[in-house]
Coordinates of all heavy atoms in Angstrom, one line a residue:
M1 N 153.3 22.6 123.1 CA 153.0 21.8 124.3 C 151.9 22.6 125.1 O 152.0 23.8 125.3 CB 154.2 21.7 125.2 CG 154.0 21.0 126.5 SD 155.5 20.9 127.4 CE 155.0 19.8 128.7
T2 N 150.9 21.9 125.6 CA 149.8 22.5 126.4 C 150.2 22.6 127.8 O 150.7 21.6 128.4 CB 148.6 21.7 126.2 OG1 148.2 21.5 124.9 CG2 147.4 22.3 127.0
I3 N 150.0 23.7 128.4 CA 150.3 23.9 129.8 C 149.2 23.4 130.7 O 148.0 23.7 130.4 CB 150.5 25.4 130.1 CG1 151.6 26.0 129.2 CG2 150.9 25.7 131.6 CD1 153.0 25.4 129.4
P4 N 149.5 22.5 131.6 CA 148.4 21.9 132.4 C 147.8 22.8 133.5 O 147.0 22.3 134.3 CB 149.0 20.6 133.0 CG 150.5 21.0 133.2 CD 150.8 21.9 132.0
I5 N 148.2 24.0 133.5 CA 147.7 24.9 134.6 C 147.1 26.2 133.8 O 147.8 26.8 133.0 CB 148.8 25.3 135.5 CG1 149.2 24.1 136.3 CG2 148.3 26.5 136.5 CD1 150.4 24.3 137.2
Q6 N 145.9 26.6 134.2 CA 145.3 27.8 133.7 C 145.1 28.8 134.8 O 144.3 28.5 135.7 CB 143.9 27.5 133.0 CG 143.1 28.7 132.5 CD 143.9 29.4 131.4 OE1 144.4 28.8 130.5 NE2 144.0 30.7 131.5
P7 N 145.8 29.9 134.7 CA 145.6 30.9 135.8 C 144.2 31.5 135.8 O 143.5 31.5 134.7 CB 146.6 32.0 135.4 CG 147.5 31.4 134.5 CD 146.8 30.3 133.8
L8 N 143.7 31.9 136.9 CA 142.4 32.5 137.1 C 142.4 34.0 137.1 O 143.4 34.6 137.5 CB 141.7 31.9 138.3 CG 141.6 30.4 138.4 CD1 140.9 30.0 139.8 CD2 140.7 29.9 137.3
S9 N 141.3 34.6 136.7 CA 141.1 36.0 136.9 C 142.3 36.8 136.2 O 142.6 36.6 135.1 CB 140.9 36.4 138.3 OG 140.4 37.7 138.5
D10 N 142.9 37.7 137.0 CA 144.0 38.5 136.5 C 145.4 38.0 136.8 O 146.4 38.7 136.9 CB 143.9 40.0 137.0 CG 144.1 40.1 138.5 OD1 144.0 39.1 139.2 OD2 144.5 41.2 138.9
R11 N 145.5 36.7 136.9 CA 146.8 36.0 137.2 C 147.5 35.6 136.0 O 146.9 35.3 135.0 CB 146.6 34.9 138.2 CG 146.1 35.5 139.6 CD 146.2 34.6 140.7 NE 145.8 35.2 142.0 CZ 144.6 35.7 142.3 NH1 143.7 35.8 141.4 NH2 144.4 36.1 143.5
V12 N 148.8 35.5 136.1 CA 149.7 35.1 135.0 C 150.7 34.0 135.4 O 151.2 34.1 136.6 CB 150.5 36.4 134.5 CG1 151.4 36.1 133.4 CG2 149.6 37.5 134.2
L13 N 150.9 33.0 134.6 CA 151.9 32.0 134.8 C 153.2 32.4 134.1 O 153.2 32.5 132.9 CB 151.4 30.6 134.4 CG 152.3 29.5 134.6 CD1 152.5 29.2 136.1 CD2 151.7 28.2 133.9
V14 N 154.3 32.5 134.8 CA 155.5 33.0 134.3 C 156.6 32.0 134.6 O 156.8 31.5 135.7 CB 155.9 34.4 134.9 CG1 157.3 34.8 134.3 CG2 154.9 35.4 134.6
K15 N 157.4 31.6 133.5 CA 158.6 30.8 133.7 C 159.8 31.7 133.8 O 160.1 32.4 132.8 CB 158.8 29.8 132.5 CG 160.0 28.9 132.7 CD 160.0 27.9 131.7 CE 161.2 27.0 131.8 NZ 161.1 26.1 132.9
P16 N 160.5 31.8 134.9 CA 161.6 32.7 135.1 C 162.7 32.3 134.1 O 163.0 31.1 133.8 CB 162.1 32.4 136.5 CG 160.9 31.9 137.2 CD 160.2 31.1 136.2
I17 N 163.4 33.3 133.6 CA 164.6 33.2 132.7 C 165.8 33.2 133.6 O 165.9 34.2 134.4 CB 164.6 34.2 131.6 CG1 163.5 34.1 130.7 CG2 165.9 34.2 130.9 CD1 163.3 35.2 129.7
D18 N 166.7 32.3 133.5 CA 167.9 32.2 134.3 C 168.7 33.5 134.1 O 169.3 33.7 133.0 CB 168.7 31.0 134.0 CG 169.9 30.8 134.9 OD1 170.0 31.5 135.9 OD2 170.8 30.0 134.5
P19 N 168.9 34.3 135.2 CA 169.6 35.5 135.0 C 171.1 35.4 135.3 O 171.9 36.3 135.4 CB 169.0 36.4 136.1 CG 168.6 35.5 137.2 CD 168.2 34.2 136.5
S20 N 171.6 34.1 135.3 CA 173.0 33.9 135.6 C 173.9 34.5 134.5 O 173.5 34.6 133.4 CB 173.3 32.5 135.9 OG 173.0 31.7 134.7
K21 N 175.1 34.9 134.9 CA 176.0 35.5 133.9 C 177.3 34.7 133.8 O 177.7 34.0 134.7 CB 176.4 36.9 134.4 CG 175.2 37.8 134.5 CD 175.6 39.1 135.1 CE 174.4 40.0 135.4 NZ 174.7 41.2 136.1
V22 N 177.9 34.8 132.6 CA 179.2 34.2 132.4 C 180.2 35.3 132.0 O 179.9 36.1 131.1 CB 179.2 33.1 131.3 CG1 180.5 32.5 131.1 CG2 178.2 32.0 131.7
T23 N 181.3 35.4 132.8 CA 182.3 36.5 132.5 C 183.1 36.1 131.2 O 183.0 35.0 130.7 CB 183.2 36.6 133.7 OG1 184.0 35.4 133.8 CG2 182.5 36.9 135.0
K24 N 183.8 37.1 130.8 CA 184.7 36.8 129.6 C 185.6 35.7 129.8 O 186.0 35.0 128.9 CB 185.4 38.1 129.2 CG 184.5 39.2 128.7 CD 185.3 40.4 128.3 CE 184.4 41.5 127.8 NZ 185.2 42.7 127.4
G25 N 186.0 35.5 131.0 CA 187.0 34.4 131.4 C 186.3 33.1 131.6 O 187.0 32.1 131.9
G26 N 185.0 33.0 131.4 CA 184.2 31.8 131.5 C 183.8 31.4 132.9 O 183.3 30.3 133.2
I27 N 183.8 32.4 133.8 CA 183.4 32.1 135.2 C 181.9 32.3 135.3 O 181.4 33.4 134.9 CB 184.1 33.0 136.2 CG1 185.6 32.7 136.2 CG2 183.6 32.8 137.6 CD1 186.4 33.7 136.9
H28 N 181.2 31.3 135.8 CA 179.7 31.4 135.9 C 179.4 32.1 137.2 O 179.8 31.7 138.3 CB 179.1 30.0 135.9 CG 177.7 29.9 136.1 ND1 176.8 30.2 135.1 CD2 176.9 29.6 137.2 CE1 175.6 30.1 135.5 NE2 175.6 29.7 136.8
I29 N 178.6 33.2 137.2 CA 178.2 33.9 138.3 C 176.7 33.7 138.5 O 175.8 34.1 137.7 CB 178.4 35.5 138.1 CG1 179.9 35.7 137.9 CG2 177.9 36.2 139.4 CD1 180.2 37.1 137.6
P30 N 176.3 33.0 139.6 CA 174.9 32.7 139.8 C 174.0 33.9 140.1 O 174.6 34.9 140.6 CB 174.9 31.7 141.0 CG 176.2 31.9 141.7 CD 177.1 32.4 140.6
A31 N 172.8 33.8 139.9 CA 171.9 35.0 140.1 C 171.9 35.4 141.5 O 171.7 36.6 141.8 CB 170.4 34.6 139.6
I32 N 172.0 34.5 142.5 CA 172.0 34.8 143.9 C 173.1 35.9 144.3 O 173.0 36.6 145.2 CB 172.1 33.6 144.8 CG1 171.7 33.9 146.2 CG2 173.5 33.0 144.7 CD1 170.3 34.0 146.4
A33 N 174.2 35.9 143.5 CA 175.3 36.8 143.7 C 175.1 38.2 143.3 O 175.7 39.1 143.7 CB 176.6 36.3 143.1
D34 N 174.0 38.4 142.4 CA 173.7 39.7 141.9 C 172.7 40.3 142.8 O 171.5 40.4 142.5 CB 173.2 39.6 140.5 CG 173.1 40.9 139.8 OD1 173.5 41.9 140.4 OD2 172.7 40.9 138.6
A35 N 173.1 40.9 143.9 CA 172.2 41.5 144.9 C 171.5 42.8 144.3 O 170.5 43.2 144.8 CB 172.9 41.8 146.2
D36 N 172.1 43.4 143.4 CA 171.6 44.7 142.8 C 170.4 44.5 141.9 O 169.6 45.4 141.7 CB 172.7 45.4 142.1 CG 173.8 45.9 143.0 OD1 173.5 46.1 144.2 OD2 174.9 46.1 142.6
A37 N 170.3 43.3 141.4 CA 169.2 43.0 140.4 C 167.9 42.8 141.1 O 167.6 41.8 141.7 CB 169.5 41.8 139.6
L38 N 167.1 43.9 141.2 CA 165.8 43.8 141.9 C 164.7 43.3 141.0 O 163.7 42.8 141.4 CB 165.5 45.2 142.4 CG 166.4 45.7 143.5 CD1 166.0 47.1 143.9 CD2 166.6 44.8 144.6
A39 N 164.8 43.6 139.7 CA 163.8 43.1 138.7 C 164.3 41.8 138.1 O 165.4 41.6 137.8 CB 163.6 44.1 137.6
R40 N 163.3 40.9 137.9 CA 163.6 39.6 137.3 C 162.9 39.5 136.0 O 162.0 40.4 135.7 CB 163.0 38.5 138.2 CG 163.6 38.5 139.6 CD 165.0 38.0 139.6 NE 165.6 37.9 140.9 CZ 166.7 38.4 141.4 NH1 167.4 39.1 140.6 NH2 167.1 38.2 142.6
R41 N 163.2 38.5 135.2 CA 162.7 38.4 133.8 C 162.2 37.0 133.6 O 162.7 36.0 134.2 CB 163.9 38.7 132.9 CG 163.7 38.8 131.5 CD 164.9 39.3 130.8 NE 166.1 38.4 131.0 CZ 167.2 38.6 130.4 NH1 167.3 39.6 129.5 NH2 168.2 37.8 130.6
G42 N 161.1 36.9 132.9 CA 160.5 35.6 132.6 C 159.6 35.6 131.4 O 159.3 36.7 130.8
T43 N 159.2 34.4 130.9 CA 158.4 34.3 129.8 C 157.0 33.9 130.3 O 156.8 33.0 131.1 CB 158.9 33.2 128.8 OG1 160.3 33.5 128.5 CG2 158.1 33.0 127.6
V44 N 156.0 34.6 129.7 CA 154.6 34.3 130.1 C 154.2 33.0 129.4 O 154.3 32.8 128.2 CB 153.6 35.4 129.7 CG1 152.2 35.0 129.9 CG2 154.0 36.7 130.4
L45 N 153.7 32.0 130.2 CA 153.2 30.7 129.7 C 151.7 30.7 129.5 O 151.2 30.1 128.5 CB 153.6 29.6 130.6 CG 155.1 29.4 130.8 CD1 155.4 28.2 131.7 CD2 155.9 29.1 129.5
A46 N 151.0 31.3 130.4 CA 149.5 31.3 130.3 C 149.0 32.5 131.1 O 149.6 33.0 132.0 CB 149.0 30.0 130.8
V47 N 147.8 33.0 130.7 CA 147.2 34.1 131.4 C 145.7 33.8 131.7 O 145.1 33.0 131.0 CB 147.3 35.4 130.5 CG1 148.7 35.9 130.3 CG2 146.5 35.3 129.2
G48 N 145.2 34.4 132.7 CA 143.8 34.3 133.0 C 142.9 35.2 132.1 O 143.4 35.8 131.2
Q49 N 141.6 35.2 132.4 CA 140.7 35.9 131.5 C 140.7 37.4 131.7 O 140.2 38.2 131.0 CB 139.3 35.4 131.6 CG 138.6 35.6 132.9 CD 137.3 34.8 133.0 OE1 137.2 33.7 132.5 NE2 136.3 35.4 133.6
G50 N 141.3 37.9 132.8 CA 141.4 39.3 133.1 C 140.7 39.6 134.4 O 140.1 38.7 135.1
A51 N 140.7 40.9 134.8 CA 140.1 41.3 136.1 C 138.6 41.7 135.8 O 138.3 42.3 134.8 CB 140.8 42.5 136.6
P52 N 137.7 41.3 136.7 CA 136.3 41.6 136.6 C 136.1 43.1 136.9 O 136.7 43.7 137.8 CB 135.6 40.8 137.7 CG 136.7 40.4 138.7 CD 138.0 40.4 137.9
L53 N 135.3 43.7 136.1 CA 134.9 45.1 136.3 C 133.6 45.2 137.0 O 132.8 44.3 137.0 CB 134.8 45.8 134.9 CG 136.1 45.9 134.1 CD1 135.9 46.4 132.7 CD2 137.2 46.7 134.8
P54 N 133.3 46.4 137.6 CA 132.0 46.6 138.3 C 130.8 46.3 137.5 O 129.8 45.8 138.0 CB 132.1 48.0 138.8 CG 133.5 48.4 138.8 CD 134.1 47.6 137.7
D55 N 130.8 46.5 136.2 CA 129.6 46.3 135.3 C 129.5 44.9 134.9 O 128.6 44.6 134.1 CB 129.7 47.3 134.1 CG 130.8 47.0 133.2 OD1 131.6 46.0 133.4 OD2 130.9 47.7 132.1
G56 N 130.4 44.0 135.3 CA 130.3 42.6 135.0 C 131.1 42.2 133.8 O 131.3 41.0 133.6
A57 N 131.7 43.1 133.1 CA 132.6 42.8 132.0 C 133.9 42.4 132.6 O 134.2 42.5 133.8 CB 132.7 44.0 131.1
W58 N 134.8 42.0 131.7 CA 136.2 41.6 132.1 C 137.2 42.6 131.4 O 137.1 42.8 130.2 CB 136.5 40.2 131.7 CG 135.7 39.2 132.4 CD1 134.4 38.7 132.1 CD2 136.0 38.6 133.6 NE1 134.0 37.9 133.1 CE2 135.0 37.7 134.0 CE3 137.2 38.7 134.5 CZ2 135.0 37.0 135.2 CZ3 137.2 37.9 135.6 CH2 136.1 37.1 136.0
R59 N 138.1 43.1 132.2 CA 139.2 43.9 131.6 C 140.2 43.0 130.9 O 140.7 42.0 131.5 CB 139.9 44.7 132.7 CG 141.1 45.6 132.2 CD 141.7 46.4 133.3 NE 142.2 45.6 134.5 CZ 143.4 45.0 134.5 NH1 144.2 45.0 133.5 NH2 143.7 44.3 135.6
A60 N 140.6 43.2 129.7 CA 141.5 42.4 129.0 C 142.9 42.5 129.6 O 143.3 43.5 130.1 CB 141.5 42.9 127.5
M61 N 143.6 41.4 129.5 CA 145.0 41.3 130.0 C 145.9 42.1 129.1 O 145.7 42.1 127.8 CB 145.4 39.8 130.1 CG 144.6 39.0 131.0 SD 144.9 39.4 132.8 CE 146.3 38.6 133.1
S62 N 146.9 42.7 129.6 CA 147.9 43.5 128.8 C 149.1 42.6 128.4 O 149.9 43.1 127.6 CB 148.3 44.7 129.6 OG 148.9 44.4 130.8
V63 N 149.2 41.4 128.8 CA 150.2 40.5 128.4 C 149.6 39.2 127.9 O 148.4 38.9 128.2 CB 151.2 40.1 129.6 CG1 151.9 41.3 130.0 CG2 150.5 39.4 130.7
S64 N 150.3 38.5 127.1 CA 149.8 37.2 126.5 C 150.9 36.2 126.5 O 152.1 36.5 126.7 CB 149.3 37.5 125.1 OG 150.3 38.0 124.3
A65 N 150.6 34.9 126.3 CA 151.5 33.9 126.3 C 152.6 34.1 125.3 O 152.4 34.6 124.2 CB 150.8 32.5 126.0
G66 N 153.8 33.9 125.7 CA 155.0 34.2 124.8 C 155.7 35.5 125.1 O 156.9 35.7 124.7
D67 N 155.1 36.4 125.8 CA 155.7 37.7 126.1 C 156.8 37.5 127.1 O 156.7 36.7 128.0 CB 154.7 38.7 126.7 CG 153.7 39.2 125.7 OD1 153.9 39.1 124.5 OD2 152.7 39.9 126.1
V68 N 157.9 38.3 127.0 CA 158.9 38.4 128.0 C 158.6 39.6 128.9 O 158.4 40.7 128.4 CB 160.3 38.5 127.3 CG1 161.4 38.7 128.4 CG2 160.6 37.3 126.5
V69 N 158.5 39.3 130.2 CA 158.1 40.4 131.1 C 159.2 40.5 132.2 O 160.0 39.6 132.5 CB 156.7 40.1 131.7 CG1 155.7 40.0 130.7 CG2 156.8 38.7 132.5
F70 N 159.1 41.7 132.9 CA 160.0 41.9 134.0 C 159.1 42.1 135.2 O 158.0 42.7 135.2 CB 160.7 43.3 133.8 CG 161.7 43.2 132.6 CD1 161.3 43.4 131.3 CD2 163.0 42.8 132.8 CE1 162.1 43.3 130.3 CE2 163.9 42.7 131.8 CZ 163.4 43.0 130.5
Y71 N 159.5 41.5 136.4 CA 158.7 41.6 137.6 C 159.6 41.7 138.8 O 160.8 41.5 138.7 CB 157.8 40.3 137.7 CG 158.6 39.0 137.6 CD1 159.2 38.4 138.7 CD2 158.9 38.4 136.4 CE1 159.9 37.2 138.6 CE2 159.6 37.3 136.3 CZ 160.1 36.7 137.4 OH 160.9 35.5 137.3
G72 N 159.0 42.1 139.9 CA 159.8 42.3 141.1 C 160.4 41.1 141.7 O 160.0 40.0 141.5
K73 N 161.5 41.3 142.4 CA 162.3 40.2 143.0 C 161.4 39.3 143.9 O 161.7 38.1 143.9 CB 163.4 40.8 143.8 CG 164.4 39.9 144.4 CD 165.5 40.6 145.1 CE 166.6 39.7 145.5 NZ 167.7 40.5 146.1
F74 N 160.4 39.8 144.5 CA 159.7 39.0 145.5 C 158.2 38.7 145.0 O 157.3 38.4 145.7 CB 159.6 39.6 146.9 CG 161.0 39.8 147.4 CD1 161.6 41.1 147.5 CD2 161.7 38.7 147.9 CE1 162.8 41.3 148.0 CE2 163.0 38.9 148.4 CZ 163.6 40.1 148.4
S75 N 158.0 38.9 143.7 CA 156.7 38.7 143.1 C 156.3 37.2 142.9 O 157.2 36.4 142.6 CB 156.6 39.4 141.7 OG 156.8 40.8 141.9
G76 N 155.1 36.9 143.0 CA 154.5 35.6 142.7 C 154.7 34.5 143.7 O 155.4 34.7 144.7
I77 N 154.0 33.4 143.4 CA 154.1 32.2 144.3 C 154.7 31.1 143.4 O 154.2 30.9 142.3 CB 152.7 31.8 144.7 CG1 152.0 32.9 145.5 CG2 152.7 30.5 145.5 CD1 152.6 33.3 146.8
G78 N 155.7 30.5 143.9 CA 156.4 29.4 143.1 C 155.6 28.1 143.1 O 154.9 27.8 144.1
L79 N 155.6 27.4 141.9 CA 155.0 26.1 141.8 C 155.7 25.3 140.7 O 156.3 25.9 139.8 CB 153.5 26.2 141.6 CG 153.0 26.9 140.4 CD1 152.5 25.8 139.4 CD2 151.8 27.7 140.8
D80 N 155.7 24.0 140.8 CA 156.3 23.2 139.8 C 155.3 22.8 138.8 O 154.3 22.1 139.1 CB 156.9 21.9 140.6 CG 157.8 21.1 139.7 OD1 158.4 21.7 138.7 OD2 157.9 19.9 139.9
V81 N 155.5 23.2 137.6 CA 154.6 22.9 136.5 C 155.2 21.7 135.7 O 156.3 21.8 135.2 CB 154.4 24.1 135.5 CG1 153.6 23.8 134.4 CG2 153.9 25.3 136.3
P82 N 154.4 20.6 135.5 CA 154.9 19.5 134.8 C 155.3 19.8 133.4 O 154.6 20.5 132.6 CB 153.7 18.5 134.7 CG 152.8 18.9 135.9 CD 153.0 20.4 136.1
G83 N 156.5 19.5 133.0 CA 157.0 19.8 131.7 C 157.7 21.1 131.6 O 158.3 21.4 130.6
E84 N 157.6 22.0 132.6 CA 158.1 23.3 132.5 C 159.1 23.6 133.7 O 159.9 24.4 133.6 CB 157.1 24.4 132.5 CG 156.2 24.4 131.3 CD 157.0 24.8 130.1 OE1 158.0 25.5 130.2 OE2 156.6 24.5 129.0
G85 N 159.0 22.9 134.8 CA 159.8 23.1 135.9 C 159.2 24.2 136.8 O 158.0 24.4 136.9
Q86 N 160.1 24.9 137.5 CA 159.7 25.9 138.5 C 159.1 27.1 137.7 O 159.8 27.7 136.8 CB 160.8 26.4 139.4 CG 161.1 25.4 140.5 CD 160.0 25.4 141.5 OE1 159.3 26.4 141.8 NE2 159.8 24.3 142.1
C87 N 157.9 27.5 138.1 CA 157.3 28.7 137.5 C 156.7 29.6 138.6 O 156.7 29.1 139.8 CB 156.2 28.3 136.6 SG 156.8 27.4 135.1
L88 N 156.2 30.7 138.3 CA 155.6 31.6 139.3 C 154.2 32.0 138.8 O 153.9 32.2 137.6 CB 156.4 32.9 139.4 CG 157.8 32.8 139.9 CD1 158.5 34.1 139.7 CD2 157.7 32.5 141.4
V89 N 153.2 32.1 139.7 CA 151.9 32.6 139.4 C 151.8 33.9 140.1 O 152.1 34.0 141.3 CB 150.8 31.7 140.0 CG1 149.4 32.3 139.8 CG2 150.8 30.3 139.2
M90 N 151.5 35.0 139.4 CA 151.5 36.3 140.0 C 150.3 37.1 139.4 O 149.8 36.7 138.3 CB 152.8 37.1 139.7 CG 153.1 37.3 138.3 SD 154.7 38.1 138.0 CE 155.8 36.8 138.4
R91 N 149.9 38.1 140.0 CA 148.9 39.0 139.5 C 149.5 39.9 138.4 O 150.7 40.1 138.4 CB 148.4 40.0 140.6 CG 147.6 39.3 141.6 CD 146.8 40.3 142.5 NE 146.0 39.7 143.4 CZ 144.7 39.3 143.1 NH1 144.2 39.6 142.0 NH2 144.0 38.7 144.0
E92 N 148.7 40.3 137.4 CA 149.2 41.1 136.3 C 149.8 42.4 136.9 O 150.7 42.9 136.3 CB 148.0 41.4 135.4 CG 148.4 42.2 134.2 CD 147.3 42.5 133.3 OE1 146.1 42.7 133.8 OE2 147.5 42.7 132.1
D93 N 149.3 42.9 138.0 CA 149.8 44.1 138.6 C 151.2 44.0 139.1 O 151.9 45.0 139.3 CB 148.9 44.5 139.8 CG 147.6 45.1 139.3 OD1 147.4 45.3 138.1 OD2 146.7 45.2 140.2
D94 N 151.7 42.7 139.3 CA 153.1 42.5 139.7 C 154.1 42.6 138.6 O 155.3 42.7 138.8 CB 153.2 41.1 140.4 CG 152.5 41.0 141.7 OD1 152.3 42.1 142.4 OD2 152.2 39.9 142.1
I95 N 153.6 42.6 137.4 CA 154.4 42.7 136.2 C 154.8 44.2 136.0 O 153.9 45.0 135.9 CB 153.8 42.1 134.9 CG1 153.6 40.6 135.1 CG2 154.6 42.4 133.7 CD1 152.9 39.9 134.1
L96 N 156.1 44.5 135.9 CA 156.5 45.9 135.8 C 156.6 46.4 134.4 O 156.3 47.6 134.1 CB 157.9 46.0 136.4 CG 158.1 45.5 137.9 CD1 159.5 45.5 138.3 CD2 157.2 46.4 138.8
A97 N 157.0 45.5 133.4 CA 157.1 45.9 132.1 C 157.1 44.7 131.2 O 157.3 43.6 131.6 CB 158.4 46.6 131.9
R98 N 156.9 44.9 129.9 CA 157.0 43.9 128.9 C 158.1 44.2 127.9 O 158.2 45.4 127.5 CB 155.7 43.8 128.1 CG 155.6 42.7 127.0 CD 154.3 42.6 126.3 NE 153.9 43.9 125.8 CZ 152.7 44.4 125.8 NH1 151.7 43.6 126.2 NH2 152.4 45.6 125.3
A99 N 158.9 43.3 127.5 CA 160.0 43.5 126.6 C 159.4 43.7 125.2 O 158.6 42.9 124.7 CB 161.0 42.4 126.6
T100 N 159.8 44.8 124.5 CA 159.4 45.0 123.2 C 160.2 44.4 122.1 O 159.8 44.1 121.0 CB 159.3 46.5 122.9 OG1 160.6 47.1 123.1 CG2 158.3 47.2 123.8
D101 N 161.5 44.0 122.5 CA 162.4 43.3 121.7 C 162.5 41.8 122.2 O 162.9 41.6 123.3 CB 163.8 43.9 121.7 CG 164.8 43.2 120.8 OD1 164.4 42.3 120.1 OD2 166.0 43.6 120.9
P102 N 162.0 40.8 121.4 CA 162.0 39.5 121.9 C 163.4 39.0 122.3 O 163.5 38.1 123.2 CB 161.5 38.6 120.7 CG 160.8 39.6 119.8 CD 161.4 41.0 120.1
S103 N 164.4 39.5 121.8 CA 165.8 39.1 122.1 C 166.2 39.5 123.5 O 167.1 39.0 124.1 CB 166.9 39.6 121.1 OG 166.9 41.0 121.2
E104 N 165.4 40.4 124.1 CA 165.6 40.9 125.5 C 165.5 39.8 126.5 O 166.0 39.8 127.5 CB 164.7 42.1 125.8 CG 164.9 42.7 127.2 CD 166.2 43.3 127.4 OE1 166.8 43.9 126.4 OE2 166.8 43.2 128.5
G105 N 164.6 38.8 126.1 CA 164.4 37.7 127.0 C 165.3 36.5 126.9 O 165.2 35.6 127.7
T106 N 166.2 36.6 126.0 CA 167.1 35.4 125.8 C 168.4 35.6 126.7 O 168.9 36.7 126.7 CB 167.5 35.2 124.3 OG1 168.1 36.4 123.9 CG2 166.3 34.9 123.5
P107 N 168.8 34.5 127.3 CA 170.0 34.6 128.2 C 171.2 34.8 127.3 O 171.2 34.4 126.1 CB 170.0 33.3 128.9 CG 169.0 32.4 128.3 CD 168.1 33.2 127.4
P108 N 172.3 35.4 127.8 CA 173.5 35.5 127.0 C 174.1 34.2 126.5 O 174.0 33.2 127.3 CB 174.4 36.3 127.9 CG 173.9 36.1 129.3 CD 172.4 35.8 129.1
D109 N 174.7 34.2 125.4 CA 175.3 33.0 124.8 C 176.7 32.8 125.6 O 177.5 33.7 125.5 CB 175.6 33.2 123.4 CG 176.1 31.9 122.7 OD1 176.2 30.9 123.4 OD2 176.6 32.0 121.6
P110 N 176.8 31.7 126.3 CA 178.1 31.4 127.0 C 179.3 31.2 126.2 O 180.4 31.1 126.6 CB 177.7 30.2 127.9 CG 176.6 29.5 127.2 CD 175.9 30.6 126.5
G111 N 179.1 30.9 124.9 CA 180.2 30.5 124.0 C 180.9 31.7 123.6 O 181.9 32.1 123.4

């Protein structure tokens, strides 16, 4: 599916991954109850071309579409992307880390 939004410059479009948890007893704990979780997790949907350098060249982005990334609790600006739902647009500098294991970005299996 093609994303109808293309971030500009060093901006990244991220779809947040639901951080909710399910206990062993089957109780659903929403993300809002986890006050200690300062970092959030999401999947990169699209990236801009990078940041402009003083010599006129462009610095390559360090993340790409499909990467699972971690970002600060208050990072980005929310917007509704057709076909994707609520997403965030943030600067690449707002991204704290990239998951090296793709399974790191998958929510726990409630079953």
